[in-house]
Amino acid sequence: MKLGVTMKITVTYIGAVIGAGFASGQEIFQFFIIYRNNGLLGIILAGIIFSILGVNIVYIGKNLSVANYQQLFYRLAGKKLGCVADFFFSLFLFGSLVVMLAGSKEIVAFLFSINSNIALLVSIVIVVLANYYGLEGIMKLNLVLIPFLIIVTLLVINGLVTGFEIDLTTVDFELEWIFSSLVYSGYNLILGLTVLLPLADKAEKRELTLGVIAGGLLLGLLAFLIGYVLNQFYPQVLNTEIPMLEIISQHRKDLYHIYAVTLWLAMLTTASCNLYGLLDRIESTVKLTRQKILIILMVLIGPISNLSFARLIEWIYPQLGKASLGLLSLLIINYLCQDRF
């Protein structure tokens, strides 16, 4: 087993998911912490799903010898359902890319006190450059950035939390928070698919298994720690754009700028994965060069990215997440039926 390959799979999986909504706390707040302690259990459930379902999906992709999500959907579901799944997932990638760039724009504009349009342009340039070298370039970017992101996130959380206590007597096994956890896991798995499927075709099963499980568990751990902080400061982060930065600005000002930079890097890693998946998908369908596709995408994304970061997460993620979860379930059931009968 090549440890380097396993690490690349782990950091690439994390990099695909740990974007603007995750690291900022906005996603975790909206999907989990609104349910308070129940939400913390929901995060644990999501981490388990990231690992187990992630491994099973890449196994399916490897067994079918598919190199991207488009091929996977058509092989699993046939032409009609595969086309529907392909459309929704492509739409989700586009929506996620918009969210990443919108959040990135706000962070860069604040950090460097520059015009928001220039801030957006800076982020777009970095994401485009990361894609210049294809999947290998994205993996190398993640191999550098993700360990840094994890270390800084742990340091910041350690600086905010003085004790650790959860009152499990207030936990109720209600459908709302369980369903929210499933939706969250569903759409984030799709983000991972865009880069994991091309890797699955090249890596050994043991490397894939360890890499995806490690990535899923680390994502679950980081989400839980961020969620715990948000739960502790719940009243303070209501109706805020970037909850984690709001907490840090009030309680650990010395960590504010370093976490802001970390958050920006998290956005860039996910945006790079989103863009890679979109370019790969569109290029296989239309007779345009990758450069022309890239220009068209950026022209479309620019105006939308000027909308509110929190509003975009609220609008885009839940709806496409539900669609993603439903379609993923249908695809897996269809595959199991084919395999059995």
Side-chain angles (χ1 to χ4, degrees):
M1 183 185 69
K2 296 178 181 178
L3 184 60
V5 175
T6 302
M7 284 186 64
K8 282 183 179 180
I9 293 169
T10 299
V11 298
T12 301
Y13 191 11
I14 295 172
V17 175
I18 196 170
F22 187 109
S24 71
Q26 185 61 248
E27 239 180 85
I28 294 170
F29 184 83
Q30 290 192 23
F31 279 89
F32 299 108
I33 303 309
I34 57 170
Y35 305 110
R36 305 308 301 271
N37 285 345
N38 289 336
L40 293 175
L41 279 186
I43 295 174
I44 294 172
L45 175 61
I48 294 169
I49 294 171
F50 281 148
S51 295
I52 295 174
L53 197 54
V55 166
N56 280 279
I57 290 173
V58 293
Y59 271 15
I60 292 171
K62 189 170 183 64
N63 291 336
L64 295 175
S65 298
V66 296
N68 55 53
Y69 70 89
Q70 179 194 15
Q71 294 176 11
L72 177 69
F73 297 155
Y74 280 90
R75 287 289 301 276
L76 285 180
K79 189 174 182 180
K80 291 183 179 178
L81 182 58
C83 182
V84 173
D86 182 22
F87 171 77
F88 271 104
F89 287 125
S90 298
L91 185 62
F92 178 73
L93 280 180
F94 181 82
S96 180
L97 179 57
V98 169
V99 172
M100 296 304 120
L101 292 175
S104 183
K105 171 203 67 181
E106 292 184 16
I107 291 292
V108 175
F110 173 80
L111 279 176
F112 303 105
S113 301
I114 59 175
N115 180 273
S116 61
N117 290 324
I118 296 174
L120 179 62
L121 182 61
V122 169
S123 297
I124 287 174
V125 168
I126 294 173
V127 170
V128 169
L129 288 175
N131 271 267
Y132 181 79
Y133 296 101
L135 185 58
E136 188 64 29
I138 292 171
M139 284 194 297
K140 287 179 179 178
L141 177 70
N142 285 326
L143 203 55
V144 173
L145 295 183
I146 296 303
F148 174 74
L149 295 178
I150 292 173
I151 291 168
V152 171
T153 302
L154 292 176
L155 287 173
V156 168
I157 291 170
N158 183 61
L160 290 170
V161 177
T162 53
F164 191 84
E165 184 180 346
I166 300 175
D167 183 8
L168 294 178
T169 60
T170 61
V171 171
D172 298 309
F173 289 92
E174 297 175 348
L175 186 60
E176 281 188 350
W177 68 264
I178 295 173
F179 182 69
S180 185
S181 181
L182 293 174
V183 171
Y184 178 81
S185 306
Y187 78 75
N188 275 298
L189 277 168
I190 301 314
L191 295 176
L193 274 185
T194 59
V195 287
L196 286 179
L197 284 176
L199 284 172
D201 201 36
K202 302 171 184 177
E204 298 295 326
K205 277 196 172 183
R206 184 175 173 82
E207 295 164 346
L208 277 173
T209 302
L210 291 176
V212 173
I213 289 177
L217 292 178
L218 278 170
L219 282 167
L221 175 62
L222 290 171
F224 183 84
L225 292 173
I226 291 171
Y228 184 81
V229 171
L230 295 175
N231 197 36
Q232 295 295 302
F233 296 94
Y234 182 82
Q236 185 178 322
V237 296
L238 282 171
N239 305 315
T240 59
E241 286 280 314
I242 305 176
M244 283 298 291
L245 284 184
E246 178 66 26
I247 294 168
I248 293 168
S249 69
Q250 297 296 322
H251 301 277
R252 287 301 303 267
K253 291 183 179 179
D254 56 316
L255 297 173
Y256 187 87
H257 284 88
I258 190 171
Y259 195 80
V261 171
T262 302
L263 177 55
W264 180 38
L265 296 178
M267 297 174 192
L268 295 179
T269 60
T270 299
S272 298
C273 293
N274 293 158
L275 184 58
Y276 175 83
L278 273 175
L279 289 173
D280 194 50
R281 171 62 189 89
I282 297 171
E283 194 177 21
S284 66
T285 304
V286 300
K287 294 180 179 179
L288 292 173
T289 64
R290 204 172 182 89
Q291 289 75 19
K292 288 181 179 178
I293 296 169
L294 189 58
I295 292 170
I296 293 170
L297 281 175
M298 292 304 107
V299 168
L300 291 172
I301 287 169
I304 307 173
S305 298
N306 282 314
L307 296 173
S308 163
F309 169 56
R311 225 19 112 69
L312 283 169
I313 288 179
E314 184 183 346
W315 289 345
I316 293 174
Y317 280 8
Q319 303 311 318
L320 291 176
K322 291 171 189 174
S324 301
L325 182 64
L327 288 168
L328 259 183
S329 302
L330 285 174
L331 292 170
I332 292 172
I333 291 168
N334 192 61
Y335 172 77
L336 293 175
C337 290
Q338 288 176 358
D339 189 53
R340 186 172 179 178
F341 302 107

